[in-house]
Amino acid sequence: VPLVLFDEVLEHVLRIDRIFRQPQGHLLLIGVSGAGKTTLSRFVAWMNGLHVYQIKVHNKYSMEDFDEDLRTVLRRSGCKGDKIVFIMDESNVLDSGFLERMNTLLANGEVPGLFEGDEYTTLCTQIKEGAQKAGLMLDSNEELYKWFTQQVMLNLHIVFTMNLAEMD
């Protein structure tokens, strides 16, 4: 089956591709509903061998669920070195805390307070394993966490999609 792509689609694919190839390459895609923002992002991620992660919001989805999704994405991108495109639609933002966490993640490569207590200890062990696979010998938890945030900034790309406001 022949596939027909319009020039405008190819231009958008090239723009998204250029951004995904940059460290800390994040996107804010705004357009009419159904225009293909998510589809093009998934397509370009597939072209580049990136894993796509998209949260699945349901009626009981809470801040704790969102934090767990963030922990999963950060562990994969920071410890395992997975290259991930995290796609988030405006309809997934159920609480202003979601945006606060995403803003902090975009700025710093981390979300303070996300890993605490036993989770932090487990994370440090996972980071140490990832660093050793990369040929690094990092000793202190501070060095490990710094390397972790650098890996997150290198491997994680966030795509936030929004629909145009309807004009009356």
Side-chain angles (χ1 to χ4, degrees):
V1 175
L3 181 65
V4 178
L5 293 176
F6 297 100
D7 288 340
E8 291 83 10
V9 172
L10 289 175
E11 289 172 6
H12 287 303
V13 165
L14 291 173
R15 287 183 189 111
I16 295 169
D17 181 62
R18 184 182 71 237
I19 292 167
F20 283 172
R21 291 176 184 269
Q22 298 175 14
Q24 287 188 292
H26 308 296
L27 288 163
L28 171 62
L29 297 176
I30 302 172
V32 295
S33 181
K37 300 176 292 289
T38 301
T39 303
L40 282 182
S41 299
R42 286 178 163 278
F43 175 67
V44 175
W46 172 80
M47 279 181 20
N48 287 299
L50 306 173
H51 302 277
V52 175
Y53 192 93
Q54 196 166 2
I55 61 174
K56 293 169 182 57
V57 176
H58 48 82
N59 60 349
K60 294 186 180 175
Y61 193 84
S62 65
M63 187 63 76
E64 290 78 27
D65 296 320
F66 185 65
D67 285 348
E68 191 54 43
D69 283 331
L70 284 178
R71 284 186 202 97
T72 300
V73 168
L74 294 179
R75 278 190 202 103
R76 286 180 55 193
S77 63
C79 301
K80 297 179 182 176
D82 289 352
K83 305 230 179 255
I84 297 175
V85 173
F86 182 45
I87 300 175
M88 188 163 176
D89 185 70
E90 68 177 325
S91 65
N92 298 143
V93 180
L94 304 178
D95 186 286
S96 63
F98 287 25
L99 291 178
E100 291 169 14
R101 283 169 171 68
M102 294 305 288
N103 184 47
T104 305
L105 178 59
L106 287 168
N108 305 321
E110 66 166 326
V111 179
L114 195 60
F115 297 97
E116 292 181 335
D118 291 341
E119 285 180 347
Y120 182 74
T121 306
T122 305
L123 178 69
C124 285
T125 304
Q126 293 171 338
I127 297 169
K128 193 168 202 167
E129 290 169 5
Q132 287 172 345
K133 285 181 187 174
L136 300 171
M137 294 302 296
L138 303 174
D139 295 324
S140 71
N141 284 351
E142 291 79 23
E143 287 177 327
L144 288 168
Y145 199 74
K146 182 178 179 187
W147 181 78
F148 170 75
T149 57
Q150 290 171 342
Q151 291 301 112
V152 168
M153 287 193 266
L154 185 67
N155 295 322
L156 181 63
H157 303 281
I158 297 171
V159 176
F160 191 75
T161 62
M162 297 180 72
N163 296 326
L164 284 172
E166 295 193 19
M167 302 276 224
D168 289 330

Coordinates of all heavy atoms in Angstrom, one line a residue, residues 66-123:
F66 N 0.7 9.3 39.3 CA 1.6 10.1 38.5 C 3.1 10.0 39.0 O 4.0 9.8 38.1 CB 1.1 11.5 38.4 CG 1.9 12.4 37.5 CD1 1.8 12.2 36.1 CD2 2.7 13.4 38.0 CE1 2.5 13.0 35.2 CE2 3.4 14.3 37.1 CZ 3.3 14.0 35.7
D67 N 3.3 10.1 40.3 CA 4.6 10.0 40.8 C 5.2 8.6 40.5 O 6.4 8.5 40.2 CB 4.6 10.2 42.3 CG 4.4 11.6 42.7 OD1 4.5 12.5 41.8 OD2 4.2 11.9 43.9
E68 N 4.4 7.5 40.6 CA 4.9 6.2 40.2 C 5.3 6.1 38.7 O 6.3 5.5 38.4 CB 3.9 5.1 40.6 CG 4.4 3.7 40.5 CD 5.7 3.5 41.3 OE1 5.8 4.0 42.5 OE2 6.6 2.9 40.8
D69 N 4.5 6.7 37.9 CA 4.8 6.8 36.5 C 6.1 7.6 36.2 O 7.0 7.1 35.4 CB 3.7 7.4 35.6 CG 2.5 6.5 35.4 OD1 2.7 5.3 35.4 OD2 1.4 7.0 35.3
L70 N 6.3 8.7 36.9 CA 7.6 9.4 36.8 C 8.7 8.6 37.3 O 9.8 8.6 36.7 CB 7.5 10.7 37.6 CG 6.6 11.9 37.0 CD1 6.6 13.1 37.9 CD2 7.2 12.3 35.6
R71 N 8.6 7.9 38.4 CA 9.7 7.1 39.0 C 10.1 6.0 37.9 O 11.3 5.8 37.7 CB 9.2 6.4 40.2 CG 9.2 7.2 41.4 CD 9.0 6.4 42.7 NE 8.4 7.3 43.8 CZ 7.2 7.5 44.0 NH1 6.2 6.8 43.4 NH2 6.8 8.3 45.0
T72 N 9.1 5.4 37.3 CA 9.4 4.4 36.2 C 10.2 5.0 35.1 O 11.2 4.4 34.7 CB 8.0 3.8 35.7 OG1 7.3 3.2 36.8 CG2 8.3 2.8 34.6
V73 N 9.7 6.1 34.6 CA 10.4 6.8 33.5 C 11.8 7.2 33.9 O 12.8 7.0 33.1 CB 9.6 8.0 33.0 CG1 10.4 8.9 32.0 CG2 8.3 7.5 32.3
L74 N 12.0 7.8 35.1 CA 13.3 8.2 35.5 C 14.2 7.1 35.7 O 15.4 7.2 35.3 CB 13.2 9.1 36.7 CG 12.4 10.4 36.6 CD1 12.4 11.2 37.9 CD2 13.1 11.3 35.5
R75 N 13.8 6.0 36.3 CA 14.6 4.8 36.5 C 15.1 4.3 35.1 O 16.3 3.9 35.0 CB 13.9 3.7 37.2 CG 13.8 3.9 38.7 CD 13.3 2.6 39.4 NE 12.8 2.9 40.7 CZ 11.5 3.0 41.0 NH1 10.6 2.8 40.1 NH2 11.2 3.3 42.2
R76 N 14.2 4.2 34.2 CA 14.5 3.6 32.9 C 15.5 4.5 32.1 O 16.5 4.0 31.5 CB 13.3 3.4 32.0 CG 12.4 2.2 32.5 CD 11.2 2.0 31.6 NE 11.5 1.9 30.2 CZ 10.6 2.0 29.2 NH1 9.3 2.1 29.5 NH2 11.0 1.9 28.0
S77 N 15.3 5.8 32.2 CA 16.2 6.7 31.4 C 17.5 7.0 32.2 O 18.5 7.2 31.5 CB 15.4 8.0 31.1 OG 15.1 8.7 32.3
G78 N 17.4 7.1 33.5 CA 18.6 7.4 34.3 C 19.5 6.3 34.7 O 20.7 6.4 34.7
C79 N 18.9 5.1 34.9 CA 19.7 3.9 35.4 C 20.0 3.0 34.3 O 21.1 2.5 34.1 CB 18.9 3.2 36.5 SG 18.6 4.2 38.0
K80 N 19.0 2.7 33.5 CA 19.1 1.7 32.4 C 19.6 2.3 31.1 O 20.0 1.6 30.2 CB 17.8 1.0 32.2 CG 17.4 0.2 33.4 CD 16.1 -0.5 33.1 CE 15.6 -1.3 34.4 NZ 14.3 -1.9 34.2
G81 N 19.6 3.6 31.0 CA 20.0 4.3 29.7 C 19.0 4.2 28.6 O 19.4 4.4 27.4
D82 N 17.8 3.8 28.9 CA 16.7 3.8 27.8 C 16.5 5.2 27.3 O 16.3 6.1 28.1 CB 15.4 3.2 28.4 CG 15.5 1.7 28.6 OD1 16.5 1.1 28.3 OD2 14.5 1.2 29.2
K83 N 16.4 5.3 26.0 CA 16.0 6.6 25.4 C 14.5 6.6 25.3 O 13.9 5.7 24.6 CB 16.7 6.7 24.0 CG 18.2 6.5 24.1 CD 18.9 7.6 23.4 CE 20.4 7.4 23.4 NZ 21.0 8.3 24.4
I84 N 13.9 7.5 26.0 CA 12.4 7.5 26.1 C 11.8 8.9 25.7 O 12.4 9.9 26.0 CB 12.1 7.3 27.6 CG1 12.6 5.9 28.1 CG2 10.6 7.4 27.9 CD1 12.3 5.6 29.5
V85 N 10.7 8.7 25.0 CA 9.8 9.9 24.7 C 8.6 9.8 25.6 O 7.9 8.8 25.5 CB 9.4 9.9 23.2 CG1 8.4 11.0 23.0 CG2 10.6 10.1 22.3
F86 N 8.5 10.7 26.5 CA 7.4 10.7 27.5 C 6.3 11.7 26.9 O 6.5 12.9 26.9 CB 7.9 11.2 28.8 CG 6.8 11.2 29.9 CD1 5.9 10.2 30.1 CD2 6.7 12.2 30.8 CE1 4.9 10.2 31.1 CE2 5.8 12.3 31.8 CZ 4.9 11.2 31.9
I87 N 5.2 11.2 26.4 CA 4.2 12.0 25.8 C 3.1 12.2 26.8 O 2.5 11.3 27.4 CB 3.6 11.3 24.5 CG1 4.7 11.0 23.5 CG2 2.5 12.1 24.0 CD1 4.2 10.3 22.3
M88 N 2.8 13.5 27.0 CA 1.8 13.9 27.9 C 0.8 14.9 27.3 O 1.2 15.9 26.7 CB 2.4 14.5 29.2 CG 1.4 14.8 30.3 SD 2.3 15.0 31.8 CE 1.0 15.4 32.9
D89 N -0.4 14.6 27.3 CA -1.5 15.4 26.7 C -2.1 16.3 27.8 O -2.1 15.9 29.0 CB -2.6 14.6 26.1 CG -3.6 15.4 25.3 OD1 -3.2 16.0 24.3 OD2 -4.7 15.6 25.8
E90 N -2.5 17.5 27.4 CA -3.1 18.4 28.4 C -4.3 17.7 29.1 O -4.6 18.1 30.3 CB -3.6 19.7 27.7 CG -4.8 19.6 26.8 CD -5.2 20.9 26.2 OE1 -5.2 21.9 26.9 OE2 -5.6 20.9 25.1
S91 N -5.0 16.8 28.5 CA -6.1 16.1 29.2 C -5.6 15.2 30.3 O -6.4 14.8 31.1 CB -6.9 15.3 28.2 OG -6.1 14.3 27.6
N92 N -4.3 14.9 30.3 CA -3.8 14.1 31.4 C -3.4 14.9 32.7 O -3.1 14.3 33.7 CB -2.5 13.4 30.9 CG -2.7 12.4 29.8 OD1 -1.8 12.4 28.9 ND2 -3.8 11.7 29.7
V93 N -3.5 16.2 32.6 CA -3.2 17.0 33.7 C -4.4 17.2 34.6 O -5.3 18.0 34.3 CB -2.6 18.4 33.2 CG1 -2.3 19.3 34.4 CG2 -1.4 18.3 32.3
L94 N -4.5 16.4 35.6 CA -5.7 16.4 36.5 C -5.5 17.3 37.7 O -6.4 17.6 38.4 CB -6.0 15.0 36.9 CG -6.2 13.9 35.8 CD1 -6.4 12.6 36.5 CD2 -7.3 14.3 34.9
D95 N -4.2 17.7 37.9 CA -3.9 18.5 39.1 C -2.8 19.4 38.7 O -1.9 19.1 37.9 CB -3.5 17.6 40.2 CG -3.3 18.3 41.5 OD1 -2.3 19.0 41.7 OD2 -4.2 18.1 42.4
S96 N -2.7 20.6 39.3 CA -1.6 21.6 39.0 C -0.3 21.0 39.5 O 0.8 21.3 38.9 CB -1.9 22.9 39.7 OG -1.9 22.7 41.1
G97 N -0.3 20.0 40.4 CA 0.9 19.4 40.8 C 1.6 18.6 39.7 O 2.8 18.5 39.7
F98 N 0.8 18.1 38.8 CA 1.4 17.4 37.6 C 2.3 18.4 36.9 O 3.4 18.0 36.5 CB 0.3 16.9 36.7 CG -0.5 15.8 37.1 CD1 -0.7 15.5 38.5 CD2 -1.1 15.0 36.2 CE1 -1.5 14.4 38.9 CE2 -1.9 13.9 36.6 CZ -2.1 13.6 37.9
L99 N 1.8 19.6 36.6 CA 2.6 20.6 35.9 C 3.8 21.0 36.7 O 4.9 21.3 36.1 CB 1.8 21.8 35.5 CG 0.7 21.5 34.4 CD1 -0.1 22.8 34.2 CD2 1.3 21.0 33.1
E100 N 3.7 21.2 38.0 CA 4.8 21.6 38.8 C 5.9 20.5 38.7 O 7.1 20.9 38.6 CB 4.4 21.8 40.3 CG 3.5 23.0 40.5 CD 2.8 23.0 41.9 OE1 3.2 22.2 42.7 OE2 1.9 23.8 42.0
R101 N 5.6 19.3 38.8 CA 6.6 18.2 38.7 C 7.2 18.2 37.3 O 8.4 18.0 37.2 CB 5.9 16.9 39.0 CG 5.7 16.6 40.5 CD 4.9 15.4 40.8 NE 4.8 15.0 42.2 CZ 4.2 15.7 43.1 NH1 3.6 16.8 42.9 NH2 4.1 15.2 44.4
M102 N 6.4 18.3 36.3 CA 7.0 18.3 34.9 C 7.9 19.5 34.7 O 9.0 19.4 34.1 CB 5.9 18.3 33.9 CG 5.0 17.1 33.9 SD 6.0 15.6 33.7 CE 6.5 15.7 32.0
N103 N 7.5 20.7 35.3 CA 8.4 21.9 35.2 C 9.7 21.7 35.8 O 10.8 22.0 35.3 CB 7.7 23.1 35.8 CG 8.4 24.4 35.6 OD1 8.9 24.7 34.5 ND2 8.6 25.1 36.7
T104 N 9.7 21.1 37.0 CA 11.0 20.8 37.7 C 11.8 19.8 37.0 O 13.0 19.9 36.9 CB 10.6 20.3 39.2 OG1 9.8 21.3 39.8 CG2 11.9 20.1 40.0
L105 N 11.1 18.8 36.5 CA 11.9 17.8 35.7 C 12.5 18.4 34.5 O 13.7 18.1 34.2 CB 10.9 16.6 35.3 CG 11.4 15.5 34.5 CD1 12.6 14.8 35.2 CD2 10.3 14.5 34.1
L106 N 11.8 19.2 33.8 CA 12.4 19.9 32.6 C 13.6 20.8 32.9 O 14.6 20.8 32.2 CB 11.3 20.7 31.9 CG 10.2 20.0 31.1 CD1 9.1 20.9 30.8 CD2 10.8 19.3 29.9
A107 N 13.5 21.4 34.0 CA 14.5 22.4 34.4 C 15.8 21.7 35.0 O 16.9 22.1 34.8 CB 14.0 23.4 35.4
N108 N 15.5 20.6 35.8 CA 16.6 20.1 36.6 C 17.0 18.6 36.3 O 18.0 18.1 36.8 CB 16.3 20.2 38.1 CG 16.0 21.6 38.5 OD1 16.6 22.5 38.1 ND2 15.0 21.7 39.4
G109 N 16.1 17.9 35.5 CA 16.4 16.5 35.3 C 16.0 15.6 36.5 O 16.4 14.5 36.5
E110 N 15.3 16.2 37.4 CA 14.9 15.4 38.6 C 13.6 16.1 39.2 O 13.2 17.2 38.8 CB 16.0 15.4 39.7 CG 16.2 16.8 40.2 CD 17.0 16.8 41.5 OE1 16.9 15.9 42.3 OE2 17.8 17.8 41.7
V111 N 13.0 15.3 40.1 CA 11.8 15.8 40.8 C 12.1 15.6 42.3 O 12.1 14.5 42.8 CB 10.5 15.1 40.4 CG1 9.3 15.6 41.2 CG2 10.2 15.2 38.9
P112 N 12.5 16.7 43.0 CA 12.9 16.6 44.4 C 11.8 15.9 45.2 O 10.6 16.1 45.0 CB 13.1 18.0 44.9 CG 13.3 18.8 43.6 CD 12.5 18.1 42.5
G113 N 12.2 15.0 46.1 CA 11.3 14.3 47.0 C 10.6 13.1 46.3 O 9.8 12.4 47.0
L114 N 10.9 12.8 45.1 CA 10.2 11.7 44.4 C 10.7 10.3 44.9 O 10.0 9.4 45.0 CB 10.4 11.8 42.9 CG 9.6 10.9 42.0 CD1 8.1 11.3 42.2 CD2 10.0 11.1 40.5
F115 N 12.0 10.3 45.2 CA 12.7 9.1 45.7 C 13.1 9.4 47.1 O 14.0 10.2 47.4 CB 13.9 8.7 44.9 CG 13.6 8.3 43.5 CD1 13.7 9.3 42.4 CD2 13.1 7.1 43.1 CE1 13.4 8.9 41.1 CE2 12.8 6.7 41.8 CZ 13.0 7.7 40.8
E116 N 12.5 8.7 48.1 CA 12.8 9.0 49.5 C 12.9 7.7 50.2 O 12.3 6.7 49.9 CB 11.7 9.9 50.2 CG 11.7 11.3 49.7 CD 10.7 12.1 50.3 OE1 9.7 11.6 50.9 OE2 10.9 13.4 50.4
G117 N 13.7 7.6 51.3 CA 13.9 6.5 52.1 C 14.4 5.2 51.4 O 15.4 5.3 50.7
D118 N 13.6 4.1 51.5 CA 14.1 2.9 50.9 C 14.1 3.0 49.3 O 15.0 2.4 48.7 CB 13.1 1.8 51.2 CG 13.2 1.3 52.7 OD1 14.3 1.7 53.3 OD2 12.3 0.7 53.2
E119 N 13.2 3.8 48.8 CA 13.2 4.0 47.3 C 14.5 4.7 46.9 O 15.0 4.3 45.8 CB 12.0 4.9 46.9 CG 10.7 4.1 46.9 CD 9.5 5.0 46.5 OE1 9.7 6.2 46.4 OE2 8.5 4.4 46.2
Y120 N 15.0 5.6 47.7 CA 16.2 6.3 47.3 C 17.4 5.3 47.4 O 18.3 5.3 46.5 CB 16.5 7.5 48.3 CG 17.7 8.3 48.0 CD1 17.8 9.1 46.8 CD2 18.8 8.2 48.8 CE1 18.9 9.9 46.5 CE2 20.0 8.9 48.5 CZ 20.0 9.7 47.3 OH 21.2 10.4 47.0
T121 N 17.4 4.5 48.4 CA 18.5 3.5 48.6 C 18.5 2.5 47.4 O 19.5 2.2 46.9 CB 18.3 2.7 49.9 OG1 18.2 3.7 51.0 CG2 19.5 1.8 50.2
T122 N 17.3 2.1 47.1 CA 17.2 1.2 45.9 C 17.6 1.9 44.6 O 18.3 1.3 43.8 CB 15.7 0.7 45.8 OG1 15.3 0.1 47.0 CG2 15.6 -0.3 44.6
L123 N 17.2 3.1 44.5 CA 17.6 3.9 43.3 C 19.1 4.0 43.2 O 19.7 3.8 42.1 CB 17.0 5.3 43.3 CG 17.4 6.2 42.2 CD1 16.8 5.7 40.9 CD2 16.9 7.6 42.4

